[in-house]
Amino acid sequence: MRRELNGAAILLTGATKGIGRKVAHLLADEKAKLAITSRSQSDLDALALELRSKGIQVAPIAADLTKEEDRRKLVAEAVRQLGGLDVLINNAGLCSFGEFSTSDESILRRLMEINFFAPVEMARLCLPHLTASNNKPAILNVGSICSRRGIPSYPEHCATKHAIAGITESWRGEFQRFGVDVCLVLPGLVSGQPDRASHLLRDEGKIYLNPNAGPSEDQVARGIVKALKKGWMETVIGQLALLIHRGNRVTPWLLDAVMRKKVLSYKA
């Protein structure tokens, strides 16, 4: 389903840094009405100033997405300021690059809170407003190639991203009765991320992955907005991610061998 974003009321999480910031600017170029959120009100206000210079309506609303009260206030305020809601983009997330053997329960629980429970409960709160929309409503979840293939040194991240892929697929069928599209975007490694450290709980994995092998933040952001406009159910962003996705479907045993070799050949 092709979607016109001009005038669409869109709620974007994780908006002030990295890919989210790029997506916010692209949506502003499309003349969407935006509710943007992160935990820092000062960062949101600075971004809102940039976006308003493009002549659009922006509602900067600080919230901790792991807190129910904050989520409720965020959705209510976004709907109030924008006059409704047409699209929810669940972009906020964290990552952990490290071995399961040296990790602990707190890492997994923190990642599950922000990568899975937060977007799920955001969708639950937004759904009544989306069903009231007459402007091709949609939920877009930003997953990862880790949603389709487990990668060594990313055990908790892979678990959360598999979980979001599973519930996205379930919603896709179920929400047809409401006329709400559900999209899943699967980026791989992203190159040139100046804010990468702020998204990592750990950065000590014992496998070498080329940080420059993936697309840039700009390319990923453009892929997200393109998927939303075209109504794609699922899209993979980046050549390496696409190779992993196809390899996992056709020759998973070969991908296992490659990963095993990378793990065993790692040298600190």
Side-chain angles (χ1 to χ4, degrees), residues 11-82:
L11 172 52
L12 170 66
T13 71
T16 57
K17 293 181 179 179
I19 294 167
R21 189 181 189 88
K22 304 285 186 182
V23 169
H25 275 281
L26 290 173
L27 294 173
D29 292 339
E30 295 285 341
K31 302 303 179 184
K33 297 186 296 183
L34 295 180
I36 54 175
T37 189
S38 73
R39 288 181 297 176
S40 170
Q41 188 65 57
S42 60
D43 287 349
L44 287 167
D45 290 339
L47 176 57
L49 195 62
E50 296 174 14
L51 299 175
R52 287 179 183 135
S53 70
K54 300 184 178 187
I56 69 160
Q57 180 181 350
V58 184
I61 309 165
D64 182 342
L65 297 179
T66 65
K67 297 180 179 178
E68 180 183 3
E69 182 180 2
D70 280 22
R71 291 193 298 265
R72 290 187 178 278
K73 289 180 179 179
L74 166 62
V75 174
E77 189 62 18
V79 170
R80 186 188 71 80
Q81 292 198 41
L82 300 184

Side-chain angles (χ1 to χ4, degrees), residues 149-150 152 247-248 251-262:
R149 171 70 198 197
N248 195 52
T251 55
W253 57 270
L254 180 58
L255 208 51
D256 285 340
V258 170
M259 293 298 174
R260 184 164 56 247
K261 183 177 180 180
K262 290 182 75 67

Side-chain angles (χ1 to χ4, degrees), residues 82-102:
L82 300 184
L85 190 64
D86 301 312
V87 176
L88 167 65
I89 299 179
N90 279 316
N91 170 70
L94 287 174
C95 185
S96 177
F97 180 51
E99 308 304 292
F100 178 80
S101 59
T102 57

Side-chain angles (χ1 to χ4, degrees), residues 118-153:
V120 168
E121 295 311 316
M122 283 295 294
R124 197 186 309 278
L125 290 170
C126 289
L127 188 58
H129 304 289
L130 295 173
T131 58
S133 167
N134 295 316
N135 192 19
K136 297 181 179 178
I139 297 172
L140 187 147
N141 290 329
V142 179
S144 164
I145 192 57
C146 293
S147 298
R148 297 301 184 203
R149 171 70 198 197
I151 307 293
S153 294

